[in-house]
Amino acid sequence: MPESNPPASLRPGQPFIAADVGGTYARLGLVQMGEDGKVAVLEYRRYACAAHPSLAAILRAFADAVPVDVDSVRADHAVVAIAGRLEGDTLINSNLPWPVSLSQTRREADIAHLGLLNDFEAVACAMPHIDPVAMTRVCGPDRPSAGPALVLGPGTGFGASLCLPSTFQPGSPPRVLASEAGHASLAAGNERELDLVRQLLKRWSHVDNERVLSGPGLINTYRALCEIDGRVPELDSPVMITAAASERTDEHAVEAVTMFCALLGSLAGDLAVTFGADSIYLAGGIPAQIGDLLLESEFATRFLNKGVLGEVLAKVPVWLVDHGQLGLVGAAAWYFERQAEY
C-alpha cells in the first residue's frame, strides 16, 4: 500500500502515532524510534472497531487521550497498518465495519502525514524487533533464519506476507511482499475435509482459505460439521469453540479446531514451497488462543506432507508468535524507514 504523502521531517525520538487495525480491534500507540533503531511504545490503547463510526474517529479518540506534553507533535504523523488492499484512494476489505478513504481519513483525523500499509506487511516488518522469548517453536529446527520469512496470521481474516532480506544493500531494511493468500482457494487433504468444502460450497461459490482459517472461519467449520452430522450447533463464537475444544466438551468443536490446525499446516507448507521460505511465523489472534492444541495437532505432519519436498520443509522452522503489539511496532518501523526514500 502506498502512503498518502512522505513522512517528511520525522526525527529519531519524535513521537508519532502507529496503529494496527483489524476487523475487530484497532490497537494504537504513541511511539518513537530510538537512535538504535528500536521502537518504543510510550502509550497504548485498544479500541473496538464497531464501536466507532470511522477509522478517523478512532485516530482522533487516541490523539485526544495521549498526554498533553506531546500534543504538539502527535497529530503531524501517523501510520496505520490495516487489513485489506488499497486501490487508489479506497481500501478494499470485507472485514472492517466501515469504508476507508485515505484522503478522507487524513482530513477528518487532522493528520498532516498519514501512512497506510497492509496489516501483515507491518507484522513482517516487526520480525527483526521480536524478542525470541515471545516465540514458541511448533516444528522444524531450533535455529535462526536469515532467508525469506513467511508470516501467517489467522484472525478476523487471514493475513499473509513474505519478508525478504536485503541482498543489494547490506544493513538496509528488508523488503516485504504483502499477499492476499487468504482469498486463494482452500485445498482439502482428506475425505472429511472434502465433505467440509462441499458443505461450504452450498453457501459460497468460492471457498477460500479465509472461509475456514480465521475466527469467522472457525465458526463456519463448526457449523458445517454439525450440519453434515445432523446436529444443531450450540456454539456461536470462536472463543466458545476454542474453549469447548480445549475442555473437550463438544466433539464438533474439537474436530473444528483439529481441522483448523491441519489445514493451516497444509497451507503453510504450500506457501513455504511456493515462495522458498526459510522460516515461518504464525501470528494472528486464533493461533494464540489454541497454542496448546496447535502443538498437539497434525499441523507439523500436514506441513511436511509435500511429497519429495517434505525433506526440504523439515529444515524450515515454524514459530508461534504472540501477536500482541507486533503490527503496531512493525508499522512504526516501516514508516520511519520510509524517510530514506525521500
Side-chain angles (χ1 to χ4, degrees):
M1 288 183 183
E3 60 183 336
S4 59
N5 45 10
S9 74
L10 187 61
R11 305 177 305 277
Q14 178 180 346
F16 62 101
I17 296 172
D20 177 19
V21 180
T24 305
Y25 293 108
R27 299 170 175 85
L28 280 75
L30 186 70
V31 301
Q32 64 181 180
M33 295 292 296
E35 296 287 353
D36 59 356
K38 299 295 184 181
V39 179
V41 181
L42 307 178
E43 294 285 336
Y44 177 77
R45 303 279 194 283
R46 190 179 77 163
Y47 300 85
C49 292
H52 298 269
S54 66
L55 173 60
I58 293 176
L59 290 169
R60 290 310 309 163
F62 177 79
D64 290 341
V66 300
V68 176
D69 60 343
V70 294
D71 187 74
S72 62
V73 296
R74 63 170 167 77
D76 288 341
H77 296 271
V79 56
V80 178
I82 191 165
R85 180 184 181 88
L86 191 66
E87 292 292 337
D89 186 62
T90 303
L91 184 76
I92 298 175
N93 183 285
S94 59
N95 296 316
L96 293 169
W98 15 252
V100 174
S101 160
L102 186 58
S103 60
Q104 183 176 349
T105 299
R106 185 175 70 250
R107 183 173 61 254
E108 292 181 356
D110 192 23
I111 293 173
H113 301 281
L114 175 63
L116 201 68
L117 74 159
N118 177 270
D119 57 342
F120 264 80
E121 182 179 356
V123 172
C125 290
M127 290 299 110
H129 301 269
I130 295 177
D131 184 343
V133 175
M135 299 190 296
T136 301
R137 185 170 61 89
V138 178
C139 60
D142 185 2
R143 61 168 176 79
S145 169
L150 185 64
V151 184
L152 306 178
T156 304
F158 184 90
S161 60
L162 185 69
C163 185
L164 301 169
S166 176
T167 57
F168 299 105
Q169 292 181 303
S172 62
R175 180 183 178 187
V176 176
L177 176 64
S179 164
E180 292 296 341
H183 296 289
S185 296
L186 180 73
N190 55 45
E191 288 296 324
R192 185 65 162 173
E193 290 172 4
L194 285 171
D195 290 340
L196 171 66
V197 173
R198 292 189 189 98
Q199 189 69 22
L200 295 179
L201 280 170
K202 295 177 181 179
R203 296 180 61 187
W204 299 289
S205 61
H206 173 57
V207 177
D208 58 26
N209 292 307
E210 195 169 275
R211 293 291 189 197
V212 171
L213 298 177
S214 64
L218 196 56
I219 300 174
N220 294 336
T221 300
Y222 171 74
R223 289 176 176 170
L225 293 174
C226 288
E227 291 165 359
I228 291 170
D229 293 341
R231 176 187 158 184
V232 177
E234 298 178 359
L235 310 174
D236 58 6
S237 74
V239 172
M240 294 175 66
I241 294 170
T242 55
S246 297
E247 297 165 5
R248 309 284 176 176
T249 57
D250 186 304
E251 63 177 337
H252 286 91
V254 173
E255 185 179 13
V257 173
T258 299
M259 191 174 289
F260 179 100
C261 294
L263 287 166
L264 180 59
S266 185
L267 177 58
D270 286 343
L271 295 175
V273 298
T274 298
F275 293 111
D278 197 39
S279 60
I280 294 179
Y281 298 89
L282 303 178
I286 302 302
Q289 291 181 32
I290 60 172
D292 291 340
L293 295 173
L294 180 69
L295 296 176
E296 298 170 1
S297 73
E298 293 187 354
F299 177 97
T301 301
R302 292 286 291 272
F303 176 71
L304 297 172
N305 186 26
K306 301 301 172 188
V308 295
L309 290 179
E311 294 182 12
V312 175
L313 292 181
K315 302 175 183 178
V316 177
V318 179
W319 303 91
L320 178 61
V321 183
D322 183 1
H323 189 278
Q325 299 177 7
L326 278 182
L328 187 154
V329 169
W334 174 89
Y335 186 72
F336 193 82
E337 290 163 355
R338 291 275 291 179
Q339 295 180 101
E341 300 180 14
Y342 298 97

